[in-house]
Amino acid sequence: MKKIIAAAALALAGLTLAAPTHAVAPDTAQAAHARAASAQSIATGLFLISNLADDTPGSALSIGPVPPVYPPLDVPVRYLSGPLTNHWLVQRGDDGLYTISAGRGGPADYRLVERDGAVFASATQEPSRWMIQGTEDGGLTLGTPDGRLATLHADDVPQVTLDAPDGSPAQAWRLMQLSGD
């Protein structure tokens, strides 16, 4: 009798392990809602912006060296590490779109703008409006209202271009809020 009970228990355990995977996978609407909620939770503040495709510790979006000329030149954003990274002020507008600037919102701050299919930093142009949306892997996309996404090409110039969505990790970003800011 004990052998029969043990065999039945093992059979039930096997059925539990073989449960269909669709029973635990979130449906598309729930996943979309979770992605939207993660993007909506971004409050105005200072952030480091890093890319999920690059696992180099301390790497983040930066402006890089800017020639000391007046008026300041627009420069392509760079992806650098350590003390060369920038703190970015991310501000949500009433329309749900964001502006991103290096600094604390002053008139001389460099702001992210779209230019020639790439992401540039400009001290003279009005900031572009950016869409920030969650991804399924917990990252965020930074994109234009027309649907192009900021994509990291670490070995190219410019390093951050605006491309059609392809689901690659190079299009997924992480905003790490700086404490006390």
Side-chain angles (χ1 to χ4, degrees), residues 5 7 31 46 56 81 86 126 132 149 151 153-154 158:
I5 294 173
L46 286 176
T56 307
S81 63
N86 281 91
E126 287 296 315
I132 300 178
L149 299 179
T151 308
H153 302 279

Side-chain angles (χ1 to χ4, degrees), residues 21 68 76 82-83 87 99 118-119 121 135 154 161 164 170:
T21 57
H87 298 176
T99 58
V119 180
T135 64
T161 60

Side-chain angles (χ1 to χ4, degrees), residues 19-132:
T21 57
H22 70 275
V24 295
D27 70 0
T28 306
Q30 287 174 331
H33 179 70
R35 288 191 303 273
S38 68
Q40 288 177 352
S41 66
I42 297 172
T44 295
L46 286 176
F47 295 86
L48 288 176
I49 302 174
S50 64
N51 191 276
L52 296 184
D54 182 87
D55 59 0
T56 307
S59 293
L61 201 59
S62 182
I63 295 174
V66 178
V69 297
Y70 187 82
L73 299 175
D74 292 354
V75 293
V77 293
R78 305 270 315 272
Y79 198 75
L80 302 172
S81 63
L84 300 176
T85 60
N86 281 91
H87 298 176
W88 296 94
L89 177 63
V90 178
Q91 295 177 295
R92 185 180 173 136
D94 293 337
D95 58 0
L97 298 176
Y98 295 83
T99 58
I100 303 172
S101 58
R104 297 188 180 269
D109 288 349
Y110 275 84
R111 298 168 287 277
L112 292 189
V113 298
E114 57 178 297
R115 178 176 152 192
D116 301 327
V119 180
F120 275 69
S122 175
T124 58
Q125 293 184 42
E126 287 296 315
S128 292
R129 311 288 286 166
W130 301 96
M131 291 182 64
I132 300 178

